Amino acid sequence: MTTGRRGRLTVYLGAAPGVGKTYAMLDEADRRRARGTDVVVGLVETHGRAATVAKIGDLEMVPRRLAEHRGSTLTELDVDAVLERAPEVALVDELAHTNAPGSRHAKRWQDVHDLLDAGIDVVTTVNVQHIASLTDDVEAITGVRQRETVPDQVVRDADQIQLVDLSPEQLRRRLAHGNVYRAEQIDASMSSFFRVGNLTALRELALLWLADRVDDALTRYRADHSIGGTWPARERIVVAVTGGPETETLLRRAARIAQRAAGTELLAVHVLPTDGLPSTPSATIAAHRALVESLGGVFHTVVGEDVPTAVVDFARGVNATMIVVGVSRHPVWRQALLGSSSAEIARLSGAIDVHLVTHERARVGLGVRSRYSSLSPKRRAAGWGSALLIPAVLTAALLAIGTDAVALATDAMLLLAGVVGVALIGGLWPAVVAAVVSNLCLNWFFAAPTGRLTIAEAENVFALAVFVVVAVAVASVVDLAARRSAQAYRARAEASTLAALSRSVLSGEDTAHAIVQRLAQTFAMADVRLEERADDRAPWSVVAHERWVTDAEPGAAPAGTDDDVTEVLIDDRHRLVLAGRVLPASDRQVVEAFGAQAGIVLERRRLREQAAQAEVLERTESTRTALLAAVSHDLRTPLAAIRTAVDGLASPDVELDREDRDVLTATIADSTYRLERLIGNLLDLSRIQTGAVRPALRAASLEEVVPIAVEPWLADLALDVPEDLPLVHTDPGLFERVVANVVSNAVRHSPPGAKVLVTASAARDSVELRVADTGPGVPEDRKATMFEPFQRLDDTSTGGLGLGLAVAAGLADAVGARVSAEDTPGGGLTMVLTVPRDGMVP
């Protein structure tokens, strides 16, 4: 059945299973039916949830189609039955579902398309982890690869998308109360997919994906309705970056404006000439890009012939609400004659606000820059020589042929070709000299009357004038093309060099020596040193040194004199010294980029070292203070009990029967055990904090660790460790101590007669051992400090110094494992030991 109209698709998008997508879909069905709409349930998956089953109520349900697959009977959406029923609205759950073999289509979203083509409106559900473009991100977050996916475009093309959202804490509470999965699935689900971190990341993915879709919808609406003006749905500030010294002022001013309203975007745009060659040094642009990123903005580069038009077009394209530009650096007289870019941007901006920022360089002029020559000294000398030689040779050749045999126009064309040749050899100014010399030769030897600089015929005067103008114009174009070619080659070389530097840093070669070595190789410098000093008056000392001998014999001393040494100051404490040849200014810009990277590496190394030292000192001081406070009581208590019992046994004045002796002996044994455990934990903590623990990591099975570790408490445990778990990468002996400490703590805090549940399961790159008790648990504000030394879970406890979990966490770190704490559903504490799988550790 076809109605001639395509049905409308409504999608309820969830950040995770259990947020209430299906319930929200059924709620919409109730509202539509109350308005008189013909609604049927094509397929709804209740997953045994009582609230969902009750919500279906008396909604009409189309019977499902039965499918046999590998001896099992599966139920699928009966597309033909829904088409025959022809309702106005059909509910179809789980859009990304894969149909059983033999179905009309492989995927359920294809079935939904058939219903839409028949004019039936469809309301459906999908989780963000099933959207195809997010599969890799979801796997990186959760460790689970989603096999059932739906193409992004299917969801994006929906007429309406409703986000169904719950905070991670709310969803975990729903899970703990049994509103999502059955009781036997709750613990495993909360420890794997439904972790707070996973749910938070999935929630952010859903919000960002939907925000992009809303932005696309707004852009499409403006295009469909030919809306050229900006709609301030979101504040976007565009900064026109010239590359001049005022750029930093503009960027910081724009960042302060952006900070006034939450959610404001900062975008910087730099316009390149249409030939694509940078008019600003690449090092300057790189510095401005870094500044923009540090301010939380995004740097863009566009190509445009007219700078103001390109800036305004970019601002309109990103739906900007404000453009920030600087006051022109040109003097007032030039602005009066030729105008300024800032004024032109304001004229073209239309509804976009333009914020004009003054700065120190405003109206002081751009300065006079010498024209850079890309030619070598030998080539420039050859150019000046050819400026005189080529016109003379061509004139002699034409005179040899005879002035009557060749017309004046032909003479001029041949000499013009000579001027072009001079431009190719020596650039513009030698070509201009050649043009003047050639004009004089034409006048003297070939324009009547010959032998004089006077010209008899008026057309010859015009011809000679045109010759000079054309010669100079052609020479200028040839010279400009040669310069642009040289600039393009240099820009490509600089880009390749900086890209190689970036690759070396990203690949882990972020040491100072690696940067110095690459610098020496790139610029073929005989000697490169990175030096540092303690302060401004201290002598320089070498941090990294590289000699790069090319033409000399191996082991030869660096070539060059003192004049061939280039110093690049990175900061007050670091500098680069290069010897071998004098660097041109363009190469120096790239060297400065190398130097900046070296400075970052050194600063990062210094900060790491300082942070590590401070952490060690802080931890040592904290441990010493806590130890002194605790030893006075916790170590003397068992000693006092031992001393009292020994005195009672040794006293000649007291007659003890066998029962009294047994009691005193048991007291000595129990106090000795407590004392040994306290001293053992103190020694373990001392070894951990001094770095004396030397784990022997290898492939191991939990079967060889867990049974031995929990043996003293087997009567108080419910053990569920599967035999087919993958091997882990750890030190079995030390990990056994970790398990023993955690299990001992759980048993000690469990109610009498209650079993502690010990389970194990495998994740994508790790194996998890969970120890769950039903004791009093730990308050949320104590979980952040429960793994620190001398932190008792119960301040009234007299059973120890509070070192068990600290020792467990320290030993776990040493063997590559991790200890974390979660609430046990129904009350209590669950300790999670995460151990990397063998083969997953680089």
Side-chain angles (χ1 to χ4, degrees):
M1 173 182 177
T2 303
T3 64
R5 104 183 227 289
R6 180 174 173 80
R8 293 175 58 82
L9 178 62
T10 300
V11 176
Y12 280 90
L13 176 67
V19 295
K21 304 179 303 299
T22 304
Y23 194 92
M25 178 180 69
L26 292 169
D27 193 48
E28 178 174 343
D30 286 342
R31 292 194 301 271
R32 293 198 183 197
R33 188 176 63 166
R35 294 194 298 265
T37 304
D38 182 18
V39 182
V40 301
V41 176
L43 185 144
V44 168
E45 296 290 358
T46 65
H47 298 290
R49 298 165 189 166
T52 305
V53 174
K55 190 64 178 175
I56 294 176
D58 57 351
L59 283 172
E60 179 184 348
M61 301 183 66
V62 176
R64 300 190 184 191
R65 181 178 59 83
L66 300 181
E68 296 291 334
H69 180 59
R70 296 182 179 178
S72 301
T73 301
L74 306 176
T75 61
E76 299 288 356
L77 172 66
D78 195 334
V79 181
D80 295 326
V82 177
L83 291 174
E84 183 178 354
R85 169 64 176 77
E88 293 181 70
V89 179
L91 308 183
V92 181
D93 210 0
E94 298 186 356
L95 184 63
H97 173 76
T98 301
N99 293 328
S103 301
R104 175 194 283 233
H105 296 296
K107 304 291 289 188
R108 186 167 291 165
W109 62 265
Q110 296 171 312
D111 296 337
V112 167
H113 272 197
D114 286 352
L115 300 181
L116 295 173
D117 291 338
I120 301 173
D121 293 346
V122 176
V123 184
T124 186
T125 66
V126 69
N127 283 327
V128 69
Q129 67 263 29
H130 295 297
I131 294 178
S133 66
L134 303 179
T135 302
D136 292 338
D137 295 333
V138 172
E139 183 180 10
I141 293 168
T142 65
V144 179
R145 184 74 177 182
Q146 298 295 331
R147 292 176 296 177
E148 295 186 333
T149 60
V150 58
D152 288 51
Q153 201 59 41
V154 173
V155 185
R156 284 186 180 274
D157 288 342
D159 298 277
Q160 185 176 0
I161 301 178
Q162 295 283 347
L163 179 65
V164 183
D165 187 28
L166 280 180
S167 69
E169 292 75 14
Q170 288 176 306
L171 182 54
R172 284 172 61 86
R173 280 199 296 271
R174 290 194 63 193
L175 186 68
H177 295 158
N179 295 332
V180 180
Y181 293 140
R182 295 188 301 272
E184 60 271 17
Q185 297 177 293
I186 294 175
D187 191 59
S189 299
M190 293 185 71
S191 66
S192 53
F193 189 89
F194 286 84
R195 295 173 177 170
V196 173
N198 289 359
L199 297 177
T200 303
L202 291 174
R203 189 186 191 195
E204 183 178 12
L205 275 182
L207 291 171
L208 291 175
W209 189 91
L210 188 59
D212 288 341
R213 198 266 184 185
V214 172
D215 220 19
D216 292 343
L218 179 60
T219 302
R220 186 167 56 251
Y221 180 85
R222 294 175 65 228
D224 292 343
H225 293 76
S226 301
I227 300 173
T230 58
W231 281 11
R234 179 189 297 181
E235 291 288 339
R236 289 187 177 92
I237 299 177
V238 171
V239 186
V241 174
T242 64
E246 77 279 3
T247 298
E248 183 174 345
T249 302
L250 266 64
L251 291 174
R252 297 193 183 278
R253 177 61 177 161
R256 288 197 297 271
I257 297 173
Q259 291 171 358
R260 295 174 183 172
T264 301
E265 293 184 16
L266 176 64
L267 302 97
V269 58
H270 176 66
V271 180
L272 289 176
T274 51
D275 55 17
L277 295 175
S279 56
T280 304
S282 57
T284 302
I285 296 299
H288 293 162
R289 182 187 298 273
L291 176 59
V292 171
E293 293 174 353
S294 69
L295 295 173
V298 181
F299 191 94
H300 297 269
T301 301
V302 298
V303 177
E305 183 176 355
D306 182 65
V307 172
T309 302
V311 171
V312 173
D313 288 345
F314 174 83
R316 287 179 178 153
V318 298
N319 199 22
T321 55
M322 180 185 292
I323 302 175
V324 176
V325 295
V327 175
S328 176
R329 286 180 286 157
H330 293 296
V332 176
W333 65 265
R334 189 183 188 282
Q335 295 183 49
L337 292 175
L338 302 177
S340 66
S341 296
S342 56
E344 185 66 10
I345 289 174
R347 187 184 69 81
L348 297 173
S349 62
I352 306 176
D353 295 338
V354 176
H355 190 91
L356 195 62
V357 178
T358 187
H359 50 84
E360 295 179 354
R361 300 288 298 175
R363 299 186 181 92
V364 299
L366 297 176
V368 179
R369 292 180 294 178
S370 62
R371 185 157 186 171
Y372 167 72
S373 176
S374 59
L375 303 178
S376 64
K378 290 183 178 180
R379 190 168 170 181
R380 289 198 299 271
W384 288 110
S386 62
L388 301 175
L389 181 61
I390 289 180
V393 171
L394 290 176
T395 300
L398 291 173
L399 290 174
I401 295 174
T403 56
D404 296 334
V406 182
L408 179 62
T410 303
D411 297 334
M413 293 301 296
L414 289 174
L415 288 171
L416 179 61
V419 173
V420 173
V422 173
L424 292 173
I425 296 173
L428 176 62
W429 293 113
V432 171
V433 172
V436 173
V437 173
S438 297
N439 180 63
L440 294 174
C441 291
L442 280 173
N443 191 351
W444 184 274
F445 293 105
F446 303 107
T450 60
R452 288 184 295 174
L453 294 179
T454 58
I455 302 174
E457 300 179 7
E459 60 268 21
N460 287 344
V461 175
F462 179 75
L464 290 175
V466 170
F467 171 82
V468 173
V469 173
V470 171
V472 172
V474 171
S476 178
V477 171
V478 171
D479 177 69
L480 179 62
R483 292 177 187 278
R484 291 302 193 189
S485 177
Q487 290 176 3
Y489 175 80
R490 180 169 296 279
R492 184 168 63 249
E494 290 181 2
S496 176
T497 301
L498 293 176
L501 174 63
S502 300
R503 284 195 301 269
S504 68
V505 173
L506 292 175
S507 63
E509 298 180 18
D510 62 345
T511 63
H513 183 267
I515 293 176
V516 167
Q517 185 180 42
R518 185 170 292 276
L519 189 62
Q521 295 173 0
T522 301
F523 295 97
M525 301 301 292
D527 189 88
V528 179
R529 300 190 306 275
L530 175 61
E531 300 178 345
E532 69 175 358
R533 59 184 177 182
D535 53 56
D536 294 344
R537 298 182 179 180
W540 292 98
S541 60
V542 178
V543 176
H545 184 206
E546 178 68 17
R547 289 188 176 182
W548 185 253
V549 181
T550 53
D551 299 330
E553 294 295 329
T561 65
D562 292 340
D563 294 335
D564 297 330
V565 175
T566 301
E567 293 186 5
V568 177
L569 193 65
I570 300 173
D571 52 43
D572 293 339
R573 297 179 59 249
H574 301 95
R575 71 175 181 180
L576 279 170
V577 180
L578 302 91
R581 62 186 178 91
V582 178
L583 285 177
S586 56
D587 284 350
R588 188 183 179 96
Q589 294 173 1
V590 183
V591 172
E592 289 175 352
F594 273 86
Q597 183 63 41
I600 293 173
V601 169
L602 293 174
E603 184 65 16
R604 186 168 55 187
R605 184 174 65 182
R606 184 182 66 83
L607 292 175
R608 281 201 304 260
E609 292 174 353
Q610 288 183 352
Q613 293 174 359
E615 184 178 357
V616 170
L617 292 174
E618 182 180 1
R619 188 167 56 244
T620 302
E621 182 62 26
S622 176
T623 301
R624 182 183 297 111
T625 303
L627 179 60
L628 291 175
V631 164
S632 62
H633 177 269
D634 292 273
L635 288 182
R636 288 197 301 176
T637 299
L639 285 175
I642 293 173
R643 176 62 182 271
T644 301
V646 170
D647 288 344
L649 291 172
S651 176
D653 301 330
V654 180
E655 292 290 336
L656 300 175
D657 56 21
R658 183 175 184 83
E659 183 179 354
D660 292 335
R661 288 181 176 274
D662 291 342
V663 171
L664 292 175
T665 304
T667 299
I668 294 174
D670 180 63
S671 297
T672 303
Y673 170 74
R674 288 174 55 194
L675 191 60
E676 288 176 345
R677 184 161 57 86
L678 291 173
I679 295 174
N681 282 335
L682 284 172
L683 292 176
D684 285 340
L685 184 65
S686 175
R687 293 172 59 214
I688 292 170
Q689 293 185 338
T690 58
V693 177
R694 296 290 185 268
L697 303 179
R698 64 177 177 85
S701 171
L702 289 185
E703 289 185 331
E704 66 177 288
V705 176
V706 176
I708 299 175
V710 304
E711 184 178 0
W713 307 278
L714 280 177
D716 301 308
L717 303 180
L719 200 60
D720 181 16
V721 180
E723 297 180 355
D724 57 349
L725 287 174
L727 296 178
V728 296
H729 187 76
T730 187
D731 182 318
L734 294 179
F735 188 65
E736 177 186 324
R737 299 280 299 280
V738 176
V739 176
N741 274 18
V742 171
V743 171
S744 171
N745 187 75
V747 171
R748 188 166 61 253
H749 289 86
S750 293
K755 295 282 189 179
V756 173
L757 179 61
V758 180
T759 62
S761 60
R764 181 170 63 94
D765 54 2
S766 62
V767 174
E768 286 189 348
L769 186 70
R770 305 177 65 82
V771 181
D773 64 58
T774 55
V778 177
E780 195 65 33
D781 58 346
R782 296 292 304 276
K783 288 181 181 177
T785 59
M786 63 184 296
F787 294 106
E788 296 179 5
F790 310 107
Q791 297 294 322
R792 291 171 174 162
L793 301 182
D794 180 3
D795 288 337
T796 63
S797 170
T798 59
L801 293 172
L803 296 178
L805 293 181
V807 170
L811 291 177
D813 287 340
V815 299
R818 188 175 69 253
V819 184
S820 58
E822 299 176 358
D823 291 331
T824 302
L829 185 69
T830 298
M831 304 297 296
V832 183
L833 307 180
T834 305
V835 198
R837 291 172 56 169
D838 188 50
M840 297 293 181
V841 180

